[in-house]
Amino acid sequence: MKKKAKHSKLSEYLKEKIEEFIATGLFTPGMKLDEIDLAQKFGVSRTPIREALIQLSSTGLVEMRPRRGAIVTPIDTKKLYEMFEVMAELEALCARLAARRITNKELEYLQKTHLECKVKEIIENPDLYYYKNEEFHIALYRASHNDFLIEQAINLHKRLSSFRRLQLRVRGRIESSLKEHEEIIEAIIKGDSELASKLAREHIIVQGERFSDLLASLNISQ
Amino acid sequence: MKKKAKHSKLSEYLKEKIEEFIATGLFTPGMKLDEIDLAQKFGVSRTPIREALIQLSSTGLVEMRPRRGAIVTPIDTKKLYEMFEVMAELEALCARLAARRITNKELEYLQKTHLECKVKEIIENPDLYYYKNEEFHIALYRASHNDFLIEQAINLHKRLSSFRRLQLRVRGRIESSLKEHEEIIEAIIKGDSELASKLAREHIIVQGERFSDLLASLNISQ
DNA sequence: GGGTATAAGTATGCATACAAGAAATTTTAA
DNA sequence: TTAAAATTTCTTGTATGCATACTTATACCC
């Protein structure tokens, strides 16, 4: 496997790579991450692999059990729900702040990403939609003008990405997602921070039906 | 320096130690953390020190600049305010959930910690108050019954701890803090989740605002 | 035969060694 | 004397080796 030169630290590069493999499902939850295996696979020594794993363990993507090796963090439904609950709140805060602080340029960009989500061929392809949708959300985060929040939101978003991806396969979810985006944008344009906040929260939170849909689409977890 | 046996990994122990030194101000923001120095100080090799630093860098307490070593993350007032803004939201969520989910036992414990905060000798000693106050807040987090949220809240709380500590030295802050706690408890008892949420948010955000002002006037940070 | 105990094997955690990139210092030139 | 260049020094980043805890497999006992 080749390595990009732009990383001054191998461990940084490896972290991103492993992260990617987990996000795309190449490394599945519960899977053991053997240091020596990985080292050989990437053609490096154990040290940078270890450092990458340590970093990933503090974001929660992998779990390091003392003397028992690292595994991709298994997600039970309870924790998943909890994570969405927190994500909803972060998004709500982003939306609330965005409604007050967004610049014209940022608003334009937000609308642009939303419009791109609505293109027919994107709507019909969950994978494409996933990427466009991600752009929309990150644009929303940035409009909050709170760098710390942006960082946290992007982090958690990343961690939930594979599940969001699955969510989009639920029939009709993309359509309602689009509608919700539209309402959020409207609230932001009106400068109604409370409404924007409420809508963003509801857009993310997976309650009732939505949660069982998510679980059904998963049935990966125990 | 001695090491506790209860840690199966040295790096875990070192992480906590360094964290502690930063929280208590022994290691000050901007200070360089030389790996060899630390290794000698703790009587270990560079490896576990490095691993500890990597972990701390992903919580944000330490900054690792490629090839240029680690420093205790310097905090400017802007970032500090941003962190309080996010903390406020997490506390608000905790309070909202607590209002709906708190058990009798948890409520008793929350009230107990609050009453202990009100003891005369505690009120008069900012350091003592700091610890009791922390107990109160953590009790609130736990009452949310969302383990992921609890973890996140405790993490950020820790990171802001040294600032909260200073904050309590501002005249009259302890008294108003107590009053705010009381109102939050009342709202939780009533089961008024929206009110509890609002009060908790304001309780924290005020600290952020005041504190940024305080810092700015002290111009400690650049 | 099932369960425990013991021993071999394997992977982690830490130490040490080496390589390479910054920073510091010295030397040289204008 | 100052500035620039080159060399040295020092620190980080990576590799490798070794000891120990955990896993497993086999044997022994009930």
Side-chain angles (χ1 to χ4, degrees):
Chain A
M1 283 179 185
K2 70 181 177 186
K3 48 190 165 182
K4 276 187 193 167
K6 74 166 181 175
H7 290 271
S8 51
K9 288 173 105 179
L10 256 180
S11 60
E12 287 297 323
Y13 167 74
L14 293 169
K15 180 192 150 207
E16 286 175 25
K17 267 300 180 197
I18 296 172
E19 204 165 55
E20 188 187 312
F21 288 163
I22 294 174
T24 57
L26 214 150
F27 293 167
T28 54
M31 182 174 163
K32 182 141 199 267
L33 298 170
D34 188 281
E35 294 178 1
I36 296 175
D37 269 12
L38 289 173
Q40 286 176 343
K41 215 169 260 163
F42 287 102
V44 298
S45 82
R46 278 177 53 219
T47 310
I49 295 283
R50 255 189 141 245
E51 300 196 343
L53 291 178
I54 290 170
Q55 283 186 289
L56 291 171
S57 83
S58 41
T59 50
L61 217 66
V62 313
E63 218 177 284
M64 292 192 86
R65 303 157 306 170
R67 287 259 162 213
R68 306 188 54 233
I71 55 171
V72 179
T73 306
I75 1 67
D76 52 305
T77 54
K78 179 167 175 285
K79 185 159 190 189
L80 192 61
Y81 180 78
E82 291 177 353
M83 288 167 71
F84 271 106
E85 204 163 48
V86 173
M87 184 82 245
E89 215 58 25
L90 293 182
E91 298 244 3
L93 179 56
C94 288
R96 169 140 35 93
L97 298 178
R100 298 207 304 254
R101 302 176 181 171
I102 197 166
T103 64
N104 285 335
K105 211 175 151 197
E106 285 166 345
L107 181 57
E108 257 173 51
Y109 181 68
L110 192 67
Q111 288 177 306
K112 184 181 142 244
T113 57
H114 172 57
L115 285 178
E116 285 170 359
C117 284
K118 285 171 77 175
V119 172
K120 192 162 177 292
E121 63 218 29
I122 299 228
I123 289 183
E124 285 167 354
N125 183 336
D127 282 325
L128 282 178
Y129 184 78
Y130 168 79
Y131 285 113
K132 274 295 158 202
N133 179 59
E134 184 170 47
E135 275 180 35
F136 173 83
H137 280 276
I138 288 178
L140 179 65
Y141 305 158
R142 294 210 195 288
S144 75
H145 288 244
N146 178 325
D147 291 338
F148 181 73
L149 173 61
I150 295 167
E151 197 189 306
Q152 299 289 311
I154 290 179
N155 261 347
L156 189 49
H157 182 99
K158 251 199 221 160
R159 221 174 134 192
L160 290 172
S161 60
S162 54
F163 304 105
R164 290 195 173 196
R165 202 181 227 128
L166 283 172
Q167 258 187 307
L168 295 174
R169 296 207 142 74
V170 174
R171 265 185 65 78
R173 179 63 201 133
I174 289 184
E175 286 72 14
S176 46
S177 170
L178 277 171
K179 190 151 170 288
E180 289 160 16
H181 286 185
E182 210 144 88
E183 290 170 350
I184 292 169
I185 290 182
E186 273 173 37
I188 289 175
I189 291 174
K190 279 193 292 184
D192 188 339
S193 56
E194 284 315 311
L195 182 61
S197 161
K198 180 170 166 284
L199 291 171
R201 180 182 300 125
E202 285 167 0
H203 176 56
I204 302 303
I205 199 93
V206 276
Q207 281 169 337
E209 256 178 41
R210 289 257 297 278
F211 192 55
S212 23
D213 285 347
L214 177 61
L215 292 189
S217 63
L218 278 177
N219 64 351
I220 292 165
S221 69
Q222 72 293 55
Chain B
M1 285 184 180
K2 66 181 177 186
K3 49 190 165 183
K4 277 186 190 165
K6 75 166 178 173
H7 289 270
S8 52
K9 287 174 104 179
L10 256 181
S11 61
E12 285 299 320
Y13 167 74
L14 293 170
K15 181 193 148 204
E16 285 176 24
K17 268 300 181 197
I18 296 173
E19 202 166 56
E20 187 187 314
F21 288 163
I22 294 174
T24 58
L26 214 151
F27 293 168
T28 54
M31 183 174 162
K32 183 143 199 271
L33 297 170
D34 187 280
E35 294 179 1
I36 297 173
D37 269 13
L38 289 172
Q40 286 176 342
K41 216 169 256 162
F42 286 103
V44 298
S45 83
R46 277 178 54 218
T47 311
I49 294 284
R50 258 193 139 240
E51 299 193 344
L53 290 178
I54 290 171
Q55 285 187 300
L56 291 170
S57 82
S58 43
T59 50
L61 216 66
V62 163
E63 218 177 284
M64 293 191 85
R65 304 158 304 171
R67 290 261 167 213
R68 307 190 55 233
I71 55 171
V72 180
T73 306
I75 3 65
D76 53 306
T77 55
K78 179 167 176 284
K79 184 162 190 186
L80 191 62
Y81 181 75
E82 290 177 354
M83 287 167 71
F84 270 107
E85 205 162 47
V86 174
M87 184 83 243
E89 213 58 26
L90 292 182
E91 298 245 2
L93 179 56
C94 287
R96 168 140 36 93
L97 298 178
R100 298 208 303 254
R101 302 177 181 171
I102 198 166
T103 64
N104 285 334
K105 211 176 151 195
E106 284 166 346
L107 181 57
E108 260 175 48
Y109 180 68
L110 192 68
Q111 288 177 306
K112 186 182 140 241
T113 57
H114 173 57
L115 286 176
E116 285 171 359
C117 283
K118 284 172 78 175
V119 171
K120 192 163 177 291
E121 63 219 29
I122 299 228
I123 289 182
E124 286 167 354
N125 183 337
D127 282 327
L128 283 178
Y129 184 78
Y130 168 78
Y131 284 113
K132 275 294 159 202
N133 179 58
E134 184 170 48
E135 275 180 35
F136 173 83
H137 280 276
I138 289 178
L140 179 65
Y141 304 158
R142 293 208 195 287
S144 75
H145 288 246
N146 178 325
D147 291 338
F148 182 73
L149 174 60
I150 295 168
E151 198 189 307
Q152 299 290 313
I154 290 179
N155 261 346
L156 188 49
H157 183 99
K158 252 199 219 160
R159 219 173 136 192
L160 289 171
S161 61
S162 54
F163 302 105
R164 291 193 174 196
R165 199 181 228 127
L166 280 173
Q167 170 70 38
L168 293 173
R169 297 206 141 73
V170 174
R171 267 184 63 78
R173 180 63 203 136
I174 289 184
E175 287 71 14
S176 46
S177 169
L178 278 172
K179 190 151 169 288
E180 288 158 17
H181 286 186
E182 211 144 87
E183 290 170 349
I184 292 170
I185 290 182
E186 273 173 36
I188 289 175
I189 291 174
K190 279 194 290 183
D192 188 338
S193 57
E194 283 316 312
L195 181 61
S197 162
K198 181 170 165 282
L199 291 171
R201 179 183 300 126
E202 285 165 1
H203 176 56
I204 303 301
I205 210 76
V206 163
Q207 294 183 48
E209 279 166 4
R210 297 247 181 89
F211 194 71
S212 297
D213 290 347
L214 181 67
L215 259 196
S217 66
L218 290 175
N219 62 343
I220 289 169
S221 69
Q222 69 287 58

